[in-house]
Amino acid sequence: MSFNAKQLFKLGLILNACILSFPTFASFQQDSSQSIRDFEKAKELRYQNLDSSAILMQKAHENFLKEGDTLMAINALMEMPYLYGQEVNYAKSYDHLWRALFLASDLGDETLKASIYGSLGRLYSFFKREEEAFKYLKTSLEINKELLEKKVVGKGSVAQSYYLICATYRELGEPELGKVYLDSCFLNYDATSDEISMPYLQFEKAFVLSKEQKNQEALEILEDIESWFLENRPSYLVLVYTYWGDVYEGISNYTESEKYYQKALAVSEKYKSHLDFSPLVYERLADLYLDRGNYKNALANLQMAKDLDAQFFDSRSERNRPLLEIKDEFRVETERREKLIQKQRLEQLEQEEKISMLQRVILLGTLVFLLIIGAVYIRHVRSKHRAEKQFLERSKALEMQKAQELLELKNKELAASALQLVEKDEFLKEIKSKLRGENGNVKTSEINQVLRSISISNSNNWEEFKLRFTAVNEKFYKKVTSQYPNLSQADQKICALIKLNFSSKEMARLLGISVESVHTTRYRLRKKMGLKRQVNLEDFIANL
């Protein structure tokens, strides 16, 4: 019983689901280790025993699927086209690549998809199906460019994609186009990356140089890279020796040319590698023998080339007939799955729309509720703020009223004190006049002493008044002294008495001068303050 790619893919998904339903992971640890060992062993055997390598790789792939390790299952599938390709069994290579593409699409791994598209492009190029080949090769390149921009892959992956296109142009005999992509390979080459090694690029460069008739430079490059391929990829020397023979053939060194063609066939036989390339080598040998007049060998090699070409590439070949048929399982399955995904997506969008509508209603209701709560809160805060403001204004007004009342009280006390001083001074003046007018037994020295004490007491009284006035009207006193520093002590006294609403007569009595002298002092005070005639002195001083 056989399965096609679509059935195998579904079978793999069923196996995956069954494996994932087991309760523990511990039971798979030993099997997983065995799968890894089978995978590595298959890679080691691919140069010694292709059949054993293919069997082990297939076994590893199936076990990876059972264990749910899709990534390693894809890696195993990617190795199998290489193994079958060495036997020129491209039908199996084709199937394994499409299966790998199915799994990579499900996994959503763009890096793997780029690699698979590159391999598909190379597979189509072997059959000269250029349109399909370059379609897949350029798809691989575009994916890697996008991944490079996103910093998912390094420049080495882009260089690998350019290299595949360059190699395809080489095989199609278009070195000019190949050179363009080769330059891009060198620009994107990354020595720290393992996607593509420099000897592969040097090999392509040698081919381009040989087509530009720079044969000596090409030979030097081929000699330099031979040792690397002997150590790391001996099967690839089939290509190296073939093009090496072409270079010698181009400079008419037929002996060396034949030698390298034979070496290419020997490597292909030894490693069972690049068997599809051997018809070209036999054709080159046939042309070489024909040019040298060795018709028997020329005919033998030409017949060998024809037989191998029919075996590997003829549509009548049992190996390749399936490949050349229309194989659209991937396309059909992809379209079916896309329609299913679109349907599911539409249902999901409808469900999301309903949920979104409900969310919008809930959100709108929440916003309205929050706005109402916010409005109530703001109104409460404003009302509270207004009440606090009114309370503060009332408190401030009361404090100002108290301060004003206190100031008026103190000023009244000052006025009363000043009046007492006036009465006291008048009393003292009366005593002073009486003492001066008597001719009694009072001694003159005692009289003078009393008079001096009265004068000193009078002066001290004014100093005490000044201190008390300044303490009560501190701001007023500071303004007067700061704005009018040229005022005399007498001027300051007049200002203080005007502030206390003293009349000119009361000022004259208090200061011991005439009313006319008070008027003169007031006139001088207005002049020092720079007041105009229409400005009332009492109002001006009261507002200071």
Side-chain angles (χ1 to χ4, degrees):
M1 182 177 180
S2 60
F3 296 93
N4 58 26
K6 181 177 178 181
Q7 290 170 329
L8 284 171
F9 171 72
K10 290 182 177 179
L11 181 59
L13 292 181
I14 293 170
L15 286 172
N16 248 349
C18 293
I19 294 300
L20 291 174
S21 66
F22 285 157
T24 63
F25 178 74
S27 61
F28 291 117
Q29 291 181 344
Q30 184 175 358
D31 292 340
S32 179
S33 300
Q34 183 61 44
S35 300
I36 295 293
R37 286 197 293 270
D38 289 343
F39 179 78
E40 297 298 333
K41 185 64 175 178
K43 291 175 68 175
E44 292 175 8
L45 290 174
R46 61 187 176 186
Y47 296 127
Q48 291 81 29
N49 191 325
L50 281 174
D51 292 336
S52 298
S53 178
I55 291 171
L56 277 175
M57 194 63 74
Q58 180 65 32
K59 180 182 176 183
H61 165 69
E62 292 172 356
N63 287 332
F64 283 135
L65 281 179
K66 290 178 182 179
E67 295 155 12
D69 192 344
T70 307
L71 183 60
M72 285 303 299
I74 294 173
N75 286 331
L77 281 175
M78 290 292 292
E79 290 291 332
M80 283 189 275
Y82 174 79
L83 299 175
Y84 290 121
Q86 293 194 96
E87 294 181 328
V88 201
N89 193 338
Y90 293 126
K92 287 187 177 181
S93 298
Y94 181 95
D95 287 338
H96 282 92
L97 285 174
W98 282 120
R99 288 173 62 196
L101 189 57
F102 271 125
L103 293 175
S105 297
D106 283 341
L107 196 61
D109 193 320
E110 293 296 313
T111 305
L112 282 174
K113 287 173 67 176
S115 179
I116 295 168
Y117 278 123
S119 298
L120 280 170
R122 293 292 291 145
L123 186 62
Y124 277 105
S125 72
F126 298 154
F127 285 84
K128 302 297 186 290
R129 295 174 66 173
E130 297 181 24
E131 184 177 351
E132 292 92 340
F134 286 111
K135 171 187 173 182
Y136 293 125
L137 289 172
K138 290 181 179 179
T139 298
S140 173
L141 176 61
E142 292 304 318
I143 292 174
N144 277 326
K145 282 183 177 179
E146 291 177 3
L147 293 175
L148 177 62
E149 289 181 1
K150 297 176 182 178
K151 297 183 179 180
V152 176
V153 300
K155 295 176 67 177
S157 295
V158 177
Q160 167 74 3
S161 295
Y162 279 121
Y163 164 74
L164 294 178
I165 298 175
C166 175
T168 302
Y169 278 121
R170 167 175 52 78
E171 293 168 0
L172 295 174
E174 298 182 24
E176 296 83 4
L177 293 174
K179 183 180 179 180
V180 175
Y181 287 92
L182 181 60
D183 291 339
S184 297
C185 288
F186 283 111
L187 286 174
N188 289 278
Y189 176 74
D190 184 1
T192 62
S193 174
D194 57 357
E195 277 85 355
I196 184 70
S197 299
M198 181 57 72
Y200 289 100
L201 305 185
Q202 292 293 345
F203 169 67
E204 298 297 334
K205 182 178 180 181
F207 169 76
V208 173
L209 288 172
S210 69
K211 295 303 178 182
E212 294 175 347
Q213 303 303 316
K214 299 177 182 178
N215 295 301
Q216 190 57 43
E217 293 181 38
L219 288 173
E220 290 175 359
I221 291 175
L222 292 171
E223 288 174 0
D224 288 339
I225 64 177
E226 181 184 17
S227 59
W228 187 89
F229 282 109
L230 282 169
E231 182 179 351
N232 297 280
R233 181 83 184 278
S235 63
Y236 199 79
L237 286 169
V238 175
L239 301 181
V240 175
Y241 288 147
T242 299
Y243 287 106
W244 205 330
D246 289 346
V247 177
Y248 276 120
E249 195 273 336
I251 58 177
S252 302
N253 190 339
Y254 301 119
T255 302
E256 288 296 316
S257 180
E258 180 184 2
K259 169 186 170 183
Y260 278 98
Y261 289 149
Q262 294 292 353
K263 289 178 72 172
L265 292 173
V267 173
S268 179
E269 179 65 24
K270 178 180 179 180
Y271 294 103
K272 303 299 180 185
S273 174
H274 297 86
L275 300 178
D276 57 331
F277 202 73
S278 56
L280 297 176
V281 182
Y282 281 114
E283 285 180 4
R284 283 169 167 79
L285 280 170
D287 292 337
L288 191 64
Y289 288 131
L290 186 62
D291 290 339
R292 296 166 66 181
N294 190 341
Y295 301 110
K296 182 179 179 180
N297 283 339
L299 182 61
N301 281 277
L302 188 60
Q303 186 62 46
M304 183 65 73
K306 184 178 179 182
D307 293 342
L308 291 174
D309 188 69
Q311 178 185 353
F312 298 142
F313 299 105
D314 198 330
S315 61
R316 292 169 294 180
S317 169
E318 291 184 3
R319 288 185 175 186
N320 301 313
R321 190 181 301 115
L323 178 65
L324 298 179
E325 295 173 354
I326 300 175
K327 305 192 70 171
D328 58 353
E329 289 92 342
F330 179 76
R331 178 182 60 80
V332 173
E333 180 65 16
T334 301
E335 289 178 357
R336 187 190 67 80
R337 292 173 66 188
E338 285 180 353
K339 289 180 181 178
L340 180 60
I341 290 172
Q342 287 177 358
K343 182 180 179 182
Q344 292 174 346
R345 180 59 178 164
L346 183 61
E347 293 175 355
Q348 182 182 357
L349 287 174
E350 291 176 353
Q351 186 68 21
E352 288 177 355
E353 181 64 25
K354 292 179 181 178
I355 295 173
S356 178
M357 179 61 72
L358 180 60
Q359 289 176 340
R360 285 197 291 270
V361 171
I362 294 173
L363 180 61
L364 182 61
T366 304
L367 287 175
V368 171
F369 177 74
L370 290 176
L371 287 173
I372 293 172
I373 294 297
V376 171
Y377 177 74
I378 291 172
R379 185 176 179 181
H380 170 71
V381 170
R382 286 181 176 177
S383 177
K384 183 179 179 181
H385 178 70
R386 193 182 300 111
E388 290 177 352
K389 185 178 180 181
Q390 291 174 353
F391 174 76
L392 290 174
E393 288 176 352
R394 286 196 298 270
S395 298
K396 187 176 181 181
L398 288 173
E399 288 178 0
M400 290 179 65
Q401 184 178 355
K402 289 180 180 179
Q404 186 66 30
E405 291 176 353
L406 181 63
L407 179 62
E408 290 178 358
L409 178 63
K410 290 184 178 292
N411 283 333
K412 287 179 180 179
E413 290 177 354
L414 281 171
S417 176
L419 290 174
Q420 289 177 359
L421 289 173
V422 170
E423 293 176 356
K424 181 181 176 181
D425 286 344
E426 288 180 350
F427 176 72
L428 291 174
K429 283 179 183 178
E430 185 178 351
I431 294 174
K432 187 176 180 182
S433 61
K434 287 180 179 181
L435 288 173
R436 284 178 177 172
E438 290 181 356
N439 293 319
N441 295 325
V442 180
K443 296 181 180 180
T444 305
S445 58
E446 291 179 354
I447 293 171
N448 290 333
Q449 185 176 0
V450 170
L451 291 174
R452 281 194 299 273
S453 64
I454 292 172
S455 298
I456 291 171
S457 176
N458 188 30
S459 177
N460 290 336
N461 289 337
W462 275 108
E463 287 299 323
E464 181 182 353
F465 173 79
K466 178 181 176 182
L467 290 174
R468 293 179 66 184
F469 178 82
T470 303
V472 176
N473 300 277
E474 183 178 359
K475 291 183 179 179
F476 170 79
Y477 188 76
K478 284 184 178 180
K479 281 187 178 181
V480 170
T481 54
S482 61
Q483 292 183 15
Y484 306 103
N486 59 336
L487 296 181
S488 64
Q489 191 76 19
D491 294 332
Q492 291 179 7
K493 287 181 181 180
I494 292 294
C495 287
L497 294 175
I498 292 174
K499 179 70 175 176
L500 295 175
N501 294 322
F502 273 52
S503 65
S504 298
K505 186 176 180 180
E506 291 173 337
M507 292 182 194
R509 289 174 57 191
L510 182 61
L511 298 174
I513 58 177
S514 65
V515 176
E516 289 78 10
S517 297
V518 171
H519 290 164
T520 303
T521 304
R522 285 166 60 95
Y523 173 77
R524 289 175 181 170
L525 180 62
R526 290 175 61 89
K527 191 173 182 180
K528 287 181 180 180
M529 288 183 170
L531 300 179
K532 295 180 180 180
R533 295 177 61 87
Q534 61 269 26
V535 178
N536 185 276
L537 181 62
E538 284 81 1
D539 294 340
F540 179 77
I541 291 176
N543 292 326
L544 280 177

